[in-house]
Amino acid sequence: MRILITGGTVVTATEIMRAEVLIDDGTVVALYGGEGGGVADAMARTAIELGVDTTIDAAGKYVLPGGVDVHTHMELPFGGTYASDTFESGTRAAAFGGTTTIVDFAVQTIGEPMMDGYEEWMAKADGNAAIDYGFHMIVSDVNDQTLKEMDILMGEGVTSFKLFMAYPGVLYSTDGQIFRAMQRAAENGSTIMMHAENGIVIDVLREQALARGETDPIHHSVTRPPITEGEATHRAIAYAELAGCPLYVVHLSAKEALEEIVAARDRGSNVFAETCPQYLFLGWRNLEEPDFEGSKYVCSTPVRSHEQGHQEALWTGLATNDLQVVSTDHCPFCFNDHPTLGTQKKLGLGDFTKIPNGLPGVEERFALIYHGAIAEGRLSLNRFVEVVATTPAKMFGLYPKKGTIAVGSDADIVIFDPNAVSRFSAENIHMDVDYTCYEGMEVVGKIETVLSKGQIIIEDGEYRGQKGDGVYLERGTSQNLL
Ligand SMILES: [Zn+2]
């Protein structure tokens, strides 16, 4: 199958060029361009002589690398229910939203081998995904066996391990456990990912809030104040520097945490962080929506007050590379009952601590960040590509197969119309959830066509792929270290 994308403007992390993209057997095989299109025309003629099965006219459009979302939770068990997107529905929605690779989290059950969790998540995804996927491993139970399994999983292409300083009694690890895992990562070359919130202190604040009768969704954020994230981030960095392993802080939302990342990077440490669209676009005004609608925005780390400058600081961090990645932490739960999973967000009616933590976002990320970058003037076009595709691929050992448009790369491509406008609504999303956090929001640009490995999977608003098109990616170690 040979495809020629003609007439478009190809944008990567480093270039913006008028170019033709020739795809053969799922891979980009030639990229020819230049102002005036002379070389490009010659290329097009060559391609036609070779015989092209499909030509995609991208005149007036951007030709962008497919998005890489390195933080999703399909089918995650949490708080007595499951994240409502399966690998089938969630990866299809990702494709609609211009994302062609996800890295999801397999979970170790406490008391059980880590390999069992890995195999369970591999089975959940196998044959169901619309786009390629990899796994990080959530380490719930650090012990001698688990440390050995970290080495084994490296051989399976799982090169990053996530630990939690939050959720005591569930996913929480002690400082000693965290430090041991970090030492192992320093030895085997893997990356430690950290949910950096002081869960012990947060639990005290939550109990006290409930005792005062403060039960509404806003108290989810009030009881996780920015300093609990800043302090945990500081501590995680200190341990990672002592152990000598790379550290990647997930879903950073507080400017206090960002300040710790900046300081560590200024020291030359291999410390990285992602933020997510919800922390850039949402805040307490959303959590305060009446009739329990605020529960739609409950996730951890929490969305922050609009009045304290967190959102601005995060945009600045993205512009200056103090933050390197935008991922989603996609973990949807229905507001009203889900047809098969039943009550989800409303488990927390009358008690904010029982609201499942997580929100949908895998479908909106690419368009939202483009809008923030270009329409709101926050980031350059190249930087947009870098934070949604190129750096996440490099950070987690997938580059240049994923994350760019170059000869030899997988033909994971988004044809994007910068002159159109899109509008988010619960009626037009494809995620298996009954709301979008961005209801009614209009964004500049439209995702027109999406290719995964040279196959058109989204076209004219329709899904043209099949479940199982997406395969497991064995990842290498981080290619983004200082
Ligand atoms: Zn997460």
Side-chain angles (χ1 to χ4, degrees):
M1 179 79 169
R2 199 174 278 131
I3 297 178
L4 181 70
I5 303 173
T6 182
T9 299
V10 175
V11 183
T12 67
T14 52
E15 309 215 53
I16 301 175
M17 56 183 169
R18 185 37 203 96
E20 321 291 279
V21 182
L22 184 62
I23 297 161
D24 194 7
D25 200 21
T27 304
V28 175
V29 294
L31 194 61
Y32 276 72
E35 283 308 318
V39 182
D41 287 348
M43 178 64 201
R45 281 198 299 279
T46 307
I48 288 160
E49 280 162 23
L50 286 168
V52 172
D53 300 294
T54 306
T55 299
I56 299 173
D57 179 7
K61 313 282 166 63
Y62 288 139
V63 181
L64 305 169
V68 178
D69 186 347
V70 294
H71 192 153
T72 67
H73 297 286
M74 307 304 173
E75 308 179 36
L76 178 77
F78 191 100
T81 184
Y82 286 82
S84 57
D85 260 321
T86 60
F87 278 89
E88 182 181 353
S89 64
T91 56
R92 195 173 54 220
F96 271 105
T99 286
T100 51
T101 303
I102 61 165
V103 186
D104 201 275
F105 289 84
V107 184
Q108 177 192 21
T109 304
I110 294 175
E112 289 177 18
M114 207 152 62
M115 292 306 291
D116 288 7
Y118 166 68
E119 277 157 22
E120 187 185 339
W121 258 261
M122 286 289 278
K124 287 184 196 206
D126 185 39
N128 290 317
I131 56 171
D132 289 352
Y133 57 92
F135 286 112
H136 314 284
M137 190 79 218
I138 288 177
V139 186
S140 314
D141 194 358
V142 178
N143 55 47
D144 291 345
Q145 176 64 24
T146 304
L147 296 173
K148 282 187 201 128
E149 287 182 302
M150 285 174 70
D151 297 348
I152 296 167
L153 282 163
M154 291 286 287
E156 301 284 323
V158 177
T159 58
S160 38
F161 299 90
K162 181 180 180 189
L163 291 125
F164 287 77
M165 302 168 99
Y167 305 130
V170 190
L171 296 163
Y172 174 83
S173 290
T174 65
D175 289 6
Q177 290 173 319
I178 287 168
F179 187 62
R180 288 186 79 196
M182 286 177 164
Q183 288 179 317
R184 193 62 165 227
E187 281 170 32
N188 68 22
S190 57
T191 296
I192 294 294
M193 307 172 79
M194 190 61 70
H195 180 132
E197 284 187 297
N198 189 320
I200 303 290
V201 167
I202 287 168
D203 270 10
V204 173
L205 295 173
R206 279 153 64 97
E207 270 175 38
Q208 291 170 344
L210 287 180
R212 288 191 298 267
E214 296 165 354
T215 60
D216 289 341
I218 184 66
H219 296 290
H220 171 75
S221 187
V222 173
T223 57
R224 309 177 93 86
I227 194 61
T228 59
E229 187 188 350
E231 182 278 329
T233 303
H234 177 89
R235 195 156 29 102
I237 291 169
Y239 299 157
E241 287 179 338
L242 186 58
C245 75
L247 176 71
Y248 179 92
V249 175
V250 295
H251 50 54
L252 188 146
S253 69
K255 63 178 192 289
E256 288 78 354
L258 178 57
E259 283 163 11
E260 300 291 342
I261 301 288
V262 171
R265 291 177 63 78
D266 286 351
R267 289 193 293 274
S269 297
N270 271 311
V271 170
F272 309 89
E274 65 179 18
T275 190
C276 310
Q278 54 269 32
Y279 308 122
L280 297 164
F281 289 95
L282 305 173
W284 280 11
R285 288 197 286 276
N286 304 95
L287 280 174
E288 286 167 339
E289 286 177 16
D291 303 323
F292 200 60
E293 302 248 351
S295 66
K296 293 175 175 176
Y297 313 96
V298 166
C299 58
S300 296
T301 61
V303 298
R304 301 289 178 190
S305 164
H306 288 95
E307 315 301 330
Q308 296 167 350
H310 299 285
Q311 294 84 354
E312 281 298 324
L314 297 178
W315 278 115
T316 302
L318 284 171
T320 57
N321 201 36
D322 289 317
L323 294 170
Q324 297 79 43
V325 171
V326 179
S327 64
T328 60
D329 198 8
H330 176 77
C331 191
F333 299 99
C334 285
F335 180 66
N336 295 304
D337 287 3
H338 182 276
T340 56
L341 297 166
T343 307
Q344 299 208 297
K345 285 291 186 184
K346 288 180 180 171
L347 288 166
L349 266 172
D351 179 353
F352 72 89
T353 67
K354 300 215 161 51
I355 302 170
N357 283 202
L359 48 77
V362 77
E363 189 168 352
E364 300 104 325
R365 178 191 70 133
F366 192 95
L368 277 172
I369 302 305
Y370 178 87
H371 181 81
I374 306 308
E376 297 181 355
R378 310 275 197 173
L379 308 173
S380 73
L381 192 52
N382 297 118
R383 182 65 183 156
F384 157 71
V385 170
E386 202 165 29
V387 300
V388 300
T390 313
T391 301
K394 286 181 179 171
M395 191 71 229
F396 293 104
L398 292 167
Y399 183 85
K401 179 179 170 70
K402 304 296 187 187
T404 193
I405 299 175
V407 172
S409 295
D410 281 0
D412 291 1
I413 291 174
V414 174
I415 314 285
F416 187 86
D417 183 352
N419 298 310
V421 171
S422 307
R423 187 169 169 280
F424 295 120
S425 160
E427 273 94 68
N428 63 24
I429 57 171
H430 303 87
M431 302 174 287
D432 185 13
V433 67
D434 59 354
Y435 71 96
T436 164
C437 292
Y438 311 96
E439 183 66 40
M441 181 177 171
E442 285 199 345
V443 292
V444 168
K446 183 168 186 285
I447 292 155
E448 286 214 329
T449 306
V450 178
L451 289 84
S452 168
K453 294 172 290 183
Q455 185 196 346
I456 296 171
I457 56 170
I458 303 293
E459 189 180 38
D460 301 328
E462 298 288 330
Y463 175 58
R464 305 230 185 275
Q466 284 186 326
K467 71 173 189 171
D469 286 343
V471 299
Y472 175 67
L473 298 165
E474 277 194 36
R475 295 182 296 112
T477 53
S478 179
Q479 301 154 295
N480 201 44
L481 303 186
L482 300 172

